[in-house]
Amino acid sequence: MANKNSSILNLPHRAEVVDLNPALAFLCGLQVFPVSTWVSSGNPKTFMMQRSVAPRGFGKHCGTLKRRRWGGLKRQWELLGLFEIDQHHEFYSLTCMMKEGLFSSILTTIDHASTNQLLEDDFRAEDTQIHKGFKLETFAGPVFANLRRSLGVTEQEYQQSLCSDKCYLQFISNSKSKADFFLTNDKRFFLKTQNEREIRFLLDNLKNYMAHLQKYPHSLLVKLLGVHRIKISYWQKKYFIVMHSVFYPDERINARYDIKGCEVSRWTDPSPDGCQIIVVFKDLNFEGQYITLDEQRSWLLRQMEIDTDFLQSLNVLDYSLLLAHQPLQQDERHRALSFASLIMRTKRSVNPSTSPIYSIPSVTGAVPEDDATFISSQIDSDYLKQAGDGKSGETHHIAGNETEELPDFEVQNRRLLLNLKNALHVIDGPDQRYFIGIVDIFTVYSLKKRMEYWWKRLRHPGRTFSTVSPQMYCTRLCQWVLEHSK
């Protein structure tokens, strides 16, 4: 039973007027507004909605009037994108139950710390916790707890972010899967509802996913941190996953893209001049631009091949390459070349214990000051001297011909990571910082998708579209990155 008196889970239970916060947050370029905000002539105004009891988030039992009101608000919110799920929102009760259930689930992990070595039973583990009015099931809990530790995410900060008394955020997505997307208030973790087939596919291939991250801990694949099912009754249940947001932190991101490597339905109209809402662009919007990485380009191209080949082996298609960029500030450029930064980044990146399954690598954790002397003695002096010449590209490569003697997977794991909590998805070029990750990796090339391919081929002759074989999808996306990087 969850501890409802916990300060972390201090959930509101009454209706309040929510003042519009001028410091509006963004994720994927979508502007955040409180759900109790109405938009009139482009000017947000705060008002008090007349409902004090929120539905549970499962619309079957909502009255016709409530559905009609929600439909009208939803049409307004489609223009806004991301907004807070406060006590007036239809998903408020659902997200409160998610927080309460996750709090207890993570508390169990804290009380029973997992070992470095995972067992066969850990991949089949199912833990059910009963709460007042609902149950929360956690699948493969020890596996994901181990992965979180390997990524430097402590259970305490994971619990604090997911179970904070601050409202979750939601944005309206045009996803064909009709999934619901939630985001923690600090925008660090995503929660996405999935259907049972997608969850079963994930759990069936969890060993393969973990083995891939074990071999390539710097993989661009989205980092999945938990799989759960919330159950209110036999007919009211939702599966959802927790994953790390690729665009974190996003305070200074000035452009975001969802790339699939094709052209049909891959254009998004820019927002009008003077509008604060920044849209998520697509492939055709990126034409004429480049991902400028210089020396790190070869690493990105090879890692794209490795990750997409893995997805092809799972018979997966229709995944997206998320891409965002922001200008590098002057102090960030100098900090990346500093001796202390190189020590920290080298320990993270070259530490031999880089398996997210069988050990706890220092991929994203801080380096204690006491380790600095020890680490510096292990770093090749020629390598540091080369980095000190001021050529930013050289700070990301092994000196001399050492890379020629290393296996491919070891070369890929030698990229120096930045001192960020989301370092695995961040790459610095000479002038821009890029956020890059591969998401939506659950679509299998089924009979339905094969039929969809032939239909689209007839409907869009001579044009490229997203529904193609996994092999063609893999090759085409890698080709897109090759042609749009330098």
Side-chain angles (χ1 to χ4, degrees):
M1 186 68 69
N3 181 4
K4 296 183 179 179
N5 296 323
S6 168
S7 59
I8 293 182
L9 205 63
N10 183 20
L11 302 176
H13 296 286
R14 60 188 178 86
E16 296 177 352
V17 176
V18 181
D19 292 328
L20 183 63
N21 186 345
L24 299 173
F26 291 82
L27 172 80
C28 300
L30 302 174
Q31 197 162 7
V32 180
F33 287 93
V35 72
S36 54
T37 300
W38 186 264
V39 178
S40 175
S41 302
N43 295 319
K45 297 181 180 179
T46 302
F47 76 106
M48 168 65 86
M49 297 184 69
Q50 299 301 317
R51 288 186 295 139
S52 60
V53 180
R56 289 185 176 273
F58 298 91
K60 294 182 179 179
H61 302 289
C62 295
T64 303
L65 180 59
K66 290 181 179 179
R67 287 198 301 269
R68 191 173 302 164
R69 288 177 178 174
W70 164 242
L73 288 175
K74 184 175 180 179
R75 284 191 292 273
Q76 295 289 334
W77 289 333
E78 286 177 348
L79 302 177
L80 303 178
L82 193 67
F83 50 89
E84 290 184 341
I85 303 175
D86 68 3
Q87 60 268 30
H88 307 297
H89 192 283
E90 69 158 0
F91 285 127
Y92 179 71
S93 292
L94 173 61
T95 56
C96 286
M97 288 186 286
M98 284 180 168
K99 289 182 180 183
E100 182 177 340
L102 288 170
F103 181 85
S104 296
S105 176
I106 301 169
L107 193 62
T108 301
T109 306
I110 295 175
D111 294 338
H112 303 86
S114 61
T115 60
N116 293 343
Q117 186 73 32
L118 291 176
L119 305 175
E120 186 73 23
D121 290 343
D122 293 330
F123 289 88
R124 298 192 298 264
E126 295 185 16
D127 179 54
T128 302
Q129 294 181 318
I130 301 175
H131 301 260
K132 185 177 181 180
F134 71 97
K135 298 179 181 179
L136 184 82
E137 298 172 271
T138 300
F139 300 95
V143 178
F144 290 107
N146 194 286
L147 178 57
R148 292 194 295 269
R149 282 202 300 166
S150 75
L151 297 173
V153 179
T154 68
E155 295 301 286
Q156 288 77 12
E157 64 180 324
Y158 186 62
Q159 185 184 62
Q160 178 64 49
S161 181
L162 286 171
C163 308
S164 165
D165 59 351
K166 296 181 180 179
C167 295
Y168 278 175
L169 309 175
Q170 186 202 15
F171 68 91
I172 303 299
S173 170
N174 59 1
S175 172
K176 295 180 181 179
S177 65
K178 299 181 181 179
D180 297 312
F181 298 84
F182 307 117
L183 189 69
T184 55
N185 199 272
D186 61 5
K187 297 184 288 184
R188 186 176 181 185
F189 302 113
F190 246 112
L191 297 90
K192 180 185 178 184
T193 61
Q194 307 276 170
N195 61 45
E196 184 174 0
R197 176 188 56 79
E198 292 168 330
I199 293 297
R200 292 303 169 193
F201 173 78
L202 167 59
L203 295 176
D204 289 343
N205 291 280
L206 184 56
K207 278 187 180 179
N208 296 327
Y209 173 77
M210 295 294 288
H212 182 76
L213 295 187
Q214 174 190 356
K215 188 173 184 180
Y216 299 101
H218 293 188
S219 169
L220 296 172
L221 294 182
V222 61
K223 305 307 180 291
L224 304 173
L225 306 177
V227 176
H228 307 273
R229 180 172 71 172
I230 189 167
K231 188 174 182 180
I232 297 178
S233 69
Y234 182 79
W235 300 108
Q236 295 178 325
K237 54 189 176 183
K238 283 184 182 287
Y239 291 90
F240 66 95
I241 60 174
V242 183
M243 50 190 168
H244 206 295
S245 174
V246 173
F247 297 157
Y248 176 82
D250 70 334
E251 286 79 7
R252 293 193 294 113
I253 291 178
N254 55 16
R256 300 155 175 83
Y257 298 85
D258 181 314
I259 303 297
K260 289 182 179 288
C262 57
E263 55 182 323
V264 173
S265 300
R266 302 308 297 167
W267 168 267
T268 298
D269 291 331
S271 57
D273 292 339
C275 179
Q276 292 181 325
I277 301 173
I278 304 175
V279 299
V280 180
F281 297 115
K282 297 182 180 179
D283 304 56
L284 297 180
N285 298 97
F286 197 81
E287 290 304 313
Q289 303 181 63
Y290 293 92
I291 306 170
T292 305
L293 297 176
D294 289 351
E295 296 289 340
Q296 292 198 86
R297 178 175 181 260
S298 60
W299 178 91
L300 175 63
L301 295 176
R302 181 61 186 138
Q303 194 61 52
M304 282 294 301
E305 292 177 358
I306 292 169
D307 289 334
T308 55
D309 282 346
F310 168 70
L311 295 177
Q312 179 186 337
S313 72
L314 299 182
N315 202 32
V316 167
L317 73 157
D318 211 22
Y319 41 88
S320 295
L321 178 70
L322 292 186
L323 171 66
H325 59 76
Q326 66 187 35
L328 272 179
Q329 296 180 344
Q330 195 66 26
D331 62 327
E332 291 173 332
R333 300 182 190 184
H334 291 311
R335 193 183 308 135
L337 294 173
S338 68
F339 182 79
S341 175
L342 286 175
I343 291 176
M344 179 178 294
R345 294 167 62 193
T346 301
K347 180 177 180 181
R348 286 178 167 184
S349 308
V350 189
N351 192 307
S353 59
T354 52
S355 164
I357 297 183
Y358 301 108
S359 58
I360 309 174
S362 300
V363 175
T364 56
V367 178
E369 293 182 2
D370 294 342
D371 290 347
T373 303
F374 174 74
I375 300 169
S376 62
S377 65
Q378 295 184 330
I379 302 177
D380 186 88
S381 59
D382 293 337
Y383 174 60
L384 290 178
K385 182 178 179 181
Q386 193 176 38
D389 291 339
K391 300 178 181 179
S392 59
E394 294 180 350
T395 66
H396 302 277
H397 292 268
I398 308 303
N401 297 322
E402 184 180 351
T403 56
E404 299 177 3
E405 302 173 359
L406 292 173
D408 179 68
F409 71 91
E410 289 192 16
V411 173
Q412 286 302 113
N413 299 343
R414 298 294 286 265
R415 180 173 74 94
L416 291 183
L417 301 176
L418 297 167
N419 185 25
L420 300 171
K421 290 186 177 181
N422 189 31
L424 292 174
H425 291 291
V426 179
I427 309 176
D428 278 359
D431 302 307
Q432 297 281 336
R433 170 165 293 174
Y434 296 93
F435 298 76
I436 304 176
I438 299 175
V439 301
D440 298 335
I441 57 176
F442 302 111
T443 303
V444 179
Y445 194 47
S446 59
L447 176 60
K448 180 180 178 181
K449 285 295 179 182
R450 286 178 168 87
M451 295 175 65
E452 185 180 334
Y453 163 74
W454 287 107
W455 163 247
K456 288 186 176 180
R457 186 173 179 181
L458 293 173
R459 187 179 180 185
H460 307 289
R463 303 184 67 193
T464 57
F465 44 84
S466 61
T467 308
V468 292
S469 69
Q471 179 180 3
M472 183 180 296
Y473 197 95
C474 162
T475 303
R476 192 174 63 189
L477 188 58
C478 289
Q479 183 66 28
W480 187 95
V481 176
L482 176 66
E483 294 175 353
H484 293 82
S485 62
K486 62 182 181 178

